[in-house]
């Protein structure tokens, strides 16, 4: 019992020593919104009904590949017709409207995520201070159970209401679902706080 008590006391003392010497690390979370420059919108010049999406979200598609089946109504001839829409760009397919939904003229019913060799994508961020984000800083993106790791590439702002534009370079093999145009994405940032002694010094000033 004496040895067990001694070991426990030593362990507690060691933990207290670490607590007062080493900086505290906490995680801060911010809301992200993917910038429109990441995507190529798929639209129709006339109102349509989206009959079905021919690819699941997150699928890689090629330029001029058929991606969506739609239905439209010709007012002049009063004839309903079915059309197949092809992509104008290579990338990752994301649907914006459910099958059976009407899309107004020039409303995006799908978007193609533009891919690049650097895996660099752009977002708007709110709630952070400019000094909290610096190029090269490691970050994590989460959208539900989907996540991706990367680093800050660039920071522009803040603008009105504390909004900043940031570029994030994602590590390969990331979950592309975090880049869905409608995803509610959270940015997680590890922040080092001052250790116990530094906090005491700040409090005494």
């Amino acid at each position: 019992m004496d040895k067990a008590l001694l070991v426990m006391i030593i362990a507690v003392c060691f933990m207290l020593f670490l607590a007062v010497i080493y900086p505290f690390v906490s995680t801060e979370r911010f809301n992200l919104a993917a910038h429109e420059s990441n995507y190529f919108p798929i639209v129709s010049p006339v109102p349509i009904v989206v009959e079905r999406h021919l690819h699941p979200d997150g699928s890689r598609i090629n330029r001029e590949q058929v991606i969506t089946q739609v239905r439209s109504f010709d007012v002049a001839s009063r004839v309903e017709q079915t059309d197949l829409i092809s992509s104008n760009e290579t990338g990752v397919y994301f649907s914006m409207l459910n099958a059976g939904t009407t899309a107004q003229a020039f409303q995006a019913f799908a978007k193609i995520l533009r891919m690049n060799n650097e895996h660099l994508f752009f977002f708007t961020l709110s709630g952070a201070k400019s000094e909290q984000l610096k190029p090269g800083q490691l970050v994590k993106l989460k959208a539900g159970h989907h996540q991706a790791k990367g680093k800050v590439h660039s920071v522009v702002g803040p603008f009105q209401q504390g909004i900043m534009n940031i570029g994030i370079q994602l590590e390969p093999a990331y979950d592309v679902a975090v880049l869905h145009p409608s995803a509610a994405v959270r940015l997680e940032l590890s922040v080092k706080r001052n250790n116990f002694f530094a906090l005491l010094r700040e409090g005494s000033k």
Side-chain angles (χ1 to χ4, degrees):
M1 287 293 294
D2 292 341
K3 289 183 178 179
L5 183 61
L6 180 61
V7 170
M8 187 180 297
I9 292 173
I10 292 173
V12 171
C13 291
F14 182 70
M15 291 174 65
L16 289 174
F17 173 76
L18 292 178
V20 298
I21 294 298
Y22 285 92
F24 300 105
V25 177
S26 62
T27 300
E28 293 197 8
R29 296 172 177 84
F30 305 99
N31 293 323
L32 280 182
H35 200 274
E36 287 298 319
S37 62
N38 297 322
Y39 309 96
F40 183 87
I42 306 297
V43 302
S44 168
V46 297
I48 57 169
V49 174
V50 179
E51 285 208 323
R52 62 190 180 111
H53 298 282
L54 304 179
H55 302 276
D57 285 349
S59 299
R60 292 296 297 262
I61 54 113
N62 297 316
R63 184 182 178 87
E64 298 184 359
Q65 183 174 355
V66 175
I67 53 176
T68 315
Q69 180 177 311
V70 302
R71 189 172 72 253
S72 60
F73 183 77
D74 190 327
V75 177
S77 62
R78 304 187 65 80
V79 174
E80 193 174 70
Q81 61 186 35
T82 299
D83 295 302
L84 295 174
I85 305 296
S86 300
S87 173
N88 292 327
E89 198 161 306
T90 296
V92 176
Y93 182 81
F94 290 115
S95 60
M96 299 301 295
L97 295 175
N98 294 327
T101 304
T102 300
Q104 300 303 318
F106 300 105
Q107 177 187 0
F109 56 87
K111 290 184 179 180
I112 308 300
L113 175 68
R114 294 184 170 106
M115 303 300 292
N116 58 81
N117 294 332
E118 292 77 26
H119 304 287
L120 176 61
F121 304 97
F122 296 93
F123 303 84
T124 55
L125 179 147
S126 57
K129 298 178 181 177
S130 57
E131 61 269 18
Q132 290 179 289
L133 291 161
K134 296 180 176 59
Q137 200 165 12
L138 298 179
V139 294
K140 182 183 291 185
L141 274 59
K142 285 189 175 182
H145 61 278
H146 306 289
Q147 63 180 4
K149 293 181 180 180
K151 64 180 179 180
V152 176
H153 175 269
S154 55
V155 181
V156 181
F159 303 106
Q160 290 183 348
Q161 300 176 339
I163 294 176
M164 290 184 283
N165 291 329
I166 65 170
I168 298 178
Q169 190 172 18
L170 298 180
E171 294 180 3
Y174 52 87
D175 190 339
V176 74
V178 301
L179 296 170
H180 193 295
S182 301
V185 183
R186 300 276 284 176
L187 180 142
E188 292 190 353
L189 177 68
S190 294
V191 179
K192 284 188 176 181
R193 310 292 186 184
N194 285 331
N195 61 38
F196 181 74
F197 292 128
L199 290 174
L200 284 179
R201 286 197 298 270
E202 286 184 0
S204 63
K205 290 180 180 179

